[in-house]
């Protein structure tokens, strides 16, 4: 059964994810949603800054899936699939999924996801906070990737709260399918609009940079890269770049405007 979402809205907050982490630890029920008009200390993956001016969507959802952390990390794909479907109804531009859970419009990043979790003594998830940022009316000019926003791509200047309602209506059924069948239940939907399949990609990992072609996703959602040597490499986490769209920046460069990837 689809979660009964309960939306709380605030004009300003340091971080919607941080607030929901506290609510989760205090025992809040699944389905709590927190949206802020702006964030003063938004952050993305690896502690990167996340610019959060008014006019865009900043939201976090509290979920309590009964699974292992590695399985819970694929909820980011669920969010990308659901939001991608919503955005395709709003803009004539090309909306694609960028591994693992970002969205590109006409080859430029305009949304992202940050997952944070708490575990039980047995190692299974106790709670999962899904944080999302969507550039609706503005976007930063600097970062790891070229960026855009919904209006700049030819879409409407939709109110953040209205975009959130559309997203939740689509996310709920996808999340139900994921809870029942795992990542395989939404894998085909993600791949149907995947950016870079079969193309040259660069994966910037913690201690190395790997180049090859984007061959597939494995059953856990990891990117399978076909190396020039003919071998395959499984990429579980990292920053992915498409040289024909945007090459990797110099090491240490970039303040991103939306969160990237999962902290799980």
């Amino acid at each position: 059964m689809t979660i009964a979402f309960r939306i709380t809205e605030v004009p300003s907050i340091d971080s919607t994810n941080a607030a929901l982490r506290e609510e989760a630890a205090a025992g809040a029920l699944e389905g709590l949603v927190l949206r802020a008009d702006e964030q003063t200390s938004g952050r993305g993956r690896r502690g990167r800054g996340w610019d959060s001016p008014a006019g865009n969507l900043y939201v976090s959802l509290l979920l309590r899936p009964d699974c292992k952390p590695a399985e819970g990390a694929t909820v980011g794909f669920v969010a990308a699939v659901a939001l991608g479907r919503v955005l395709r109804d709003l803009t004539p531009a090309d909306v694609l999924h960028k591994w693992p859970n970002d969205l590109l419009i006409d080859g430029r990043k305009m949304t992202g996801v940050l997952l944070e979790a708490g575990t039980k003594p047995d190692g299974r998830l106790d709670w999962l906070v899904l944080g999302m940022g969507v550039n609706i009316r503005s976007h930063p000019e600097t970062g790891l990737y070229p960026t855009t926003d919904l209006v700049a791509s030819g879409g409407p200047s939709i109110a953040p709260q209205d975009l959130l309602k559309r997203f939740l209506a689509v996310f709920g059924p996808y999340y139900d399918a994921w809870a029942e069948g795992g990542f395989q239940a939404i894998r085909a939907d993600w791949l149907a609009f995947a950016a870079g399949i079969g193309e040259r990609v660069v994966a910037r990992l913690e201690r190395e940079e790997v180049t090859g072609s984007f061959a597939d996703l494995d059953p856990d959602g990891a990117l399978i890269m076909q190396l020039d040597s003919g071998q395959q490499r499984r990429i579980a986490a990292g920053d992915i770049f498409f040289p024909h769209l945007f090459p990797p920046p110099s090491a240490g460069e970039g303040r991103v405007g939306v969160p990237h990837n999962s902290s799980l």
Side-chain angles (χ1 to χ4, degrees):
M1 181 178 295
T2 301
I3 299 172
F5 292 110
R6 309 177 307 283
I7 302 173
T8 297
E9 298 177 307
V10 296
S12 181
I13 199 169
D14 55 352
S15 163
T16 57
N17 258 40
L20 278 201
R21 290 200 314 268
E22 294 181 2
E23 293 284 350
L29 298 178
E30 181 176 60
L32 181 59
V33 178
L34 176 61
R35 186 193 70 80
D37 291 339
E38 65 176 4
Q39 293 182 123
T40 58
S41 300
R43 61 186 177 79
R45 183 172 174 260
R46 298 179 182 174
R48 295 170 182 148
W50 176 15
D51 295 326
S52 308
N56 298 328
L57 174 60
Y58 313 112
V59 65
S60 296
L61 286 63
L62 174 58
L63 306 169
R64 292 188 181 274
D66 181 20
C67 64
K68 297 177 181 179
E71 297 168 321
T74 62
V75 168
F77 289 92
V78 183
V81 167
L83 185 57
R85 179 174 163 185
V86 171
L87 292 176
R88 288 182 200 100
D89 287 339
L90 292 174
T91 177
D94 193 21
V95 180
L96 296 177
H97 307 143
K98 178 184 175 295
W99 187 87
N101 44 43
D102 298 333
L103 290 177
L104 301 178
I105 290 187
D106 286 342
R108 304 176 73 86
K109 183 172 173 176
M110 61 85 64
T111 184
V113 169
L114 176 66
L115 289 170
E116 297 182 288
T119 58
K120 301 175 184 177
D122 64 1
R124 295 179 73 81
L125 283 183
D126 180 22
W127 52 265
L128 184 69
V129 172
L130 167 66
M132 285 200 328
V134 184
N135 294 335
I136 299 176
R137 300 171 189 168
S138 66
H139 60 275
E141 297 297 337
T142 60
L144 286 178
Y145 308 98
T147 57
T148 189
D149 58 70
L150 183 60
V151 173
S153 71
S157 181
I158 188 172
Q161 53 267 43
D162 292 337
L163 181 60
L164 173 59
K165 290 177 182 178
R166 288 180 181 231
F167 168 75
L168 292 177
V170 178
F171 176 79
Y174 273 120
Y175 181 76
D176 287 346
W178 173 89
E180 180 70 23
F183 176 63
Q184 290 303 308
I186 56 93
R187 180 176 179 274
D189 292 287
W190 191 92
L191 284 170
F193 293 95
I197 286 286
E199 298 177 0
R200 198 78 171 167
V201 295
V202 177
R204 178 168 287 177
L205 311 180
E206 195 69 39
R207 298 181 179 178
E208 62 177 318
E209 192 169 281
V210 183
T211 301
S213 62
F214 185 173
D216 201 355
L217 295 182
D218 80 357
D220 298 322
L223 185 151
I224 302 300
M225 181 181 289
Q226 186 75 33
L227 305 179
D228 293 340
S229 65
Q231 297 180 322
Q232 289 190 334
R233 175 78 178 267
R234 181 180 184 273
I235 307 296
D239 294 314
I240 299 298
F241 301 89
F242 306 125
H244 67 290
L245 288 177
F246 39 82
S250 301
E253 180 182 336
R255 172 181 174 83
V256 295
V258 289
H260 179 72
N261 211 330
S262 164
S263 64
L264 287 174

